[in-house]
């Protein structure tokens, strides 16, 4: 089955009692048993819920994976993955990543005896150099948030396999429409479903997709034991969003290209970060592992001054200044003070993240209107 057909049909089935074509919102905490242990596969909604089950199946199908697990937020999904580790274990992570992931790693799990190495992963030799006999997990985000670096998933998988470590790909920026990491050797794909997957800025949720049965069992154990599960209404919203994922992503990519090209040609713009440019340092890998280049773009104005970035952000009319990304509406953000403020300034600078960087999530409005907005804001 092709992607668009799967987005609409995979994992879901009409309600057996009524024929309702949309998965009902099973707003229930518990399920009546005829006799102790004699039930219909559902006992308690932290453990299983029919709306969540259909979403998990739909998510697995889109990534060509076997099992999906849904969580209350993207951070709860990441938290569940890190719980697979033991004190003394080591993680190699990209040094350019969502600030909340960095915060969870360094401010929470470092206290539990897990060691994190942050390296520029677009250079695979840096990853190889960080491997020790204690390396248990390799954490990839590609394209990265917010610098749009592209990491070679197949190469990272080769390093992980040699090290005996698990490879995770945070696929939030790409979605399975653009890349399917399990097919490139990843052990786990992770999502903030809050973003493109739900697509309408109306819910926060996360997910993990895996092929391996044992890994699925271990993650399911933590999903239930720790309880970071989503409610059925949120699962319904993501299920509804997934049905248009392919149409939305196509338009995000088309608009992304137009906006990136406009910015690149603008005399007041110093640098544009977008993996679709042929002169992007990792363009060849992006072209190999992605089906298109997405709608996330970052840029720096000439002079590289934070004051100028703030003025530009204040002037936007259509690119609303807000955290998050991947919704139908265009958003703008200032990573240094917003999404990446939890990364110390020194570390941000080392990773190449300027305090004047502006991040855009290009929505699916008419591109001409978005470009008019950029023109008036940049001046
Ligand atoms: O916000 P939440 O659903 O918990 O997901 C966390 C998360 C994980 N991974 C990536 C790559 C992300 O971008 C995020 C959340 N990011 C933002 C809120 C943001 O504006 O970048």
């Amino acid at each position: 089955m092709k992607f668009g057909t799967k987005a609409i049909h995979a994992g879901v089935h009409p309600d057996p009692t009524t024929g309702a074509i949309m998965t009902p919102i099973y707003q229930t905490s518990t399920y009546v048993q005829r006799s102790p242990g004699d039930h219909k596969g559902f006992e308690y909604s932290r453990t299983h819920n029919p709306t969540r089950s259909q979403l998990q199946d739909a998510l697995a199908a889109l990534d060509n994976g076997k099992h999906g697990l849904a969580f209350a937020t993207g951070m709860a999904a990441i938290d569940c993955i890190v719980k697979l580790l033991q004190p003394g274990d080591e993680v190699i992570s990209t040094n350019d990543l969502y600030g909340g992931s960095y915060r969870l790693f360094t401010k929470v799990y470092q206290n539990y005896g897990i060691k994190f190495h942050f390296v520029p992963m677009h250079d695979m030799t840096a990853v190889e150099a960080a491997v020790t006999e204690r390396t248990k997990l390799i954490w990839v985000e590609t394209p990265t948030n917010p610098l749009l670096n592209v990491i070679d998933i197949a190469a990272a998988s080769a390093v992980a396999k040699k090290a005996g470590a698990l490879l995770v790909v945070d696929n939030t920026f790409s979605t399975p429409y653009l890349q399917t990491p399990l097919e490139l050797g990843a052990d786990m794909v992770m999502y903030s479903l809050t973003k493109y997957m739900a697509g309408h800025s109306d819910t926060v949720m996360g997910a993990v997709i895996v092929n391996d049965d044992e890994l699925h069992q271990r993650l399911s154990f933590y999903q239930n034991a720790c309880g970071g599960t989503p409610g059925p209404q949120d699962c319904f919203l993501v299920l509804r969003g997934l049905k248009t994922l392919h149409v939305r992503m196509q338009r995000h990519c088309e608009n992304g290209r137009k906006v990136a090209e406009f910015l690149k040609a603008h005399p007041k713009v110093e640098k544009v970060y977008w993996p679709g440019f042929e002169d992007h340092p990792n363009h060849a890998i992006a072209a190999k592992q992605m089906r298109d280049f997405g709608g996330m773009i970052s840029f720096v104005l000439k002079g590289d001054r934070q004051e100028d970035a703030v003025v530009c952000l204040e002037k936007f009319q259509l690119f609303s200044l807000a955290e998050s990304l991947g919704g139908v509406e265009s958003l703008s953000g200032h990573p240094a003070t917003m999404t990446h403020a939890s990364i110390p300034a020194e570390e941000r600078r080392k990773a190449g993240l300027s305090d004047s960087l502006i991040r855009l999530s290009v929505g699916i409005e008419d591109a001409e209107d978005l470009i008019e907005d950029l023109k008036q804001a940049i001046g």
Side-chain angles (χ1 to χ4, degrees):
M1 213 186 273
K2 293 242 195 256
F3 191 86
T5 313
K6 271 201 291 192
I8 293 165
H9 294 286
V12 294
H13 39 78
D15 180 49
T17 52
T18 63
I21 195 159
M22 285 303 293
T23 307
I25 301 166
Y26 284 89
Q27 193 73 53
T28 185
S29 61
T30 193
Y31 307 83
V32 176
Q33 310 194 7
R34 255 173 32 95
S35 173
D38 180 3
H39 53 73
K40 298 181 165 77
F42 297 94
E43 294 161 90
Y44 186 58
S45 276
R46 171 163 33 77
T47 321
H48 293 114
N49 174 282
T51 318
R52 192 173 100 214
S53 299
Q54 292 202 34
L55 172 64
Q56 293 183 152
D57 291 349
L59 291 168
L62 286 178
D63 258 285
N64 296 329
K66 201 162 162 194
H67 306 286
L69 297 122
F71 294 88
T73 64
M75 292 316 302
I78 301 175
D79 181 70
C80 187
I81 293 171
V82 183
K83 287 205 169 87
L84 296 169
L85 303 176
Q86 303 288 326
D89 287 350
E90 295 187 10
V91 179
I92 306 173
S93 164
T94 171
N95 66 343
D96 175 31
L97 78 167
Y98 172 53
S101 310
Y102 179 91
R103 179 176 55 198
L104 181 72
F105 294 164
T106 56
K107 298 264 166 63
V108 180
Y109 280 104
Q110 215 144 262
N111 297 338
Y112 289 83
I114 297 165
K115 190 168 175 188
F116 293 87
H117 302 268
F118 295 95
V119 302
M121 280 203 175
H122 42 280
D123 170 13
M124 210 39 72
T125 55
V127 184
E128 280 169 332
V131 170
T132 74
E133 71 280 3
R134 295 188 159 180
T135 306
K136 290 288 167 356
L137 199 70
I138 297 187
W139 191 273
V140 165
E141 209 185 88
T142 182
T144 57
N145 182 0
L147 291 176
L148 285 309
N149 283 307
V150 174
I151 298 166
D152 187 335
I153 298 171
S157 162
V159 176
K161 288 211 164 58
K162 202 165 147 211
L166 293 167
L167 176 69
V168 183
V169 175
D170 181 338
N171 210 30
T172 299
F173 271 32
S174 294
T175 81
Y177 176 83
L178 293 180
Q179 85 194 355
T180 33
L182 294 177
E183 295 177 320
L184 299 168
D187 299 288
M188 287 173 261
V189 180
M190 177 261 140
Y191 290 103
S192 167
L193 298 175
T194 315
K195 313 297 186 304
Y196 290 105
M197 302 288 265
H200 296 75
S201 307
D202 51 10
T203 186
V204 282
M205 261 185 71
V208 183
I209 324 295
V210 298
N211 271 327
D212 185 74
D213 294 339
E214 199 225 316
L215 194 52
H216 173 240
Q217 258 182 6
R218 291 173 65 202
L219 289 165
S220 298
F221 171 81
Y222 289 118
Q223 185 195 33
N224 179 51
C226 304
T229 46
Q233 174 120 16
D234 288 340
C235 292
F236 173 87
L237 287 172
V238 179
L239 269 169
R240 185 168 70 165
L242 288 182
K243 290 181 193 294
T244 54
L245 178 65
H246 52 304
V247 183
R248 288 185 285 107
M249 286 308 290
Q250 186 183 344
R251 183 66 169 260
H252 280 297
C253 291
E254 282 168 19
N255 282 359
R257 175 174 292 280
K258 287 179 188 160
V259 166
E261 281 169 358
F262 168 79
L263 288 171
K264 196 172 194 189
H266 199 291
K268 288 195 179 163
V269 173
E270 177 72 40
K271 185 161 180 190
V272 186
Y273 301 78
W274 184 64
F277 289 135
E278 281 182 17
D279 61 359
H280 181 285
N282 321 116
H283 177 73
I285 294 157
K288 192 177 73 175
Q289 73 187 16
M290 298 174 74
R291 296 175 193 101
D292 205 337
F293 303 103
M296 292 303 298
I297 299 167
S298 293
F299 70 100
V300 173
L301 292 169
K302 282 238 158 80
D304 197 6
R305 281 185 294 269
Q306 182 166 339
E307 317 82 84
D308 295 344
V310 170
V311 170
C312 176
L313 287 161
E314 285 172 352
K315 281 192 184 163
F316 279 133
Q317 300 290 315
L318 280 174
F319 282 91
S320 304
L321 177 60
E323 305 247 355
S324 204
L325 60 109
V328 289
E329 62 289 286
S330 293
L331 296 182
S332 58
H334 183 235
T337 57
M338 295 167 70
T339 49
H340 292 70
S342 50
I343 303 181
E346 172 71 10
E347 293 302 315
R348 289 202 305 266
R349 236 160 271 136
K350 265 201 254 163
L353 202 177
S354 160
D355 285 353
S356 72
L357 190 90
I358 294 174
R359 190 188 75 177
L360 300 179
S361 170
V362 180
I364 62 170
E365 301 95 335
D366 287 300
E368 294 74 9
D369 292 327
L370 296 178
I371 285 169
E372 281 309 311
D373 194 29
L374 287 162
K375 266 188 201 157
Q376 67 77 25
I378 297 170

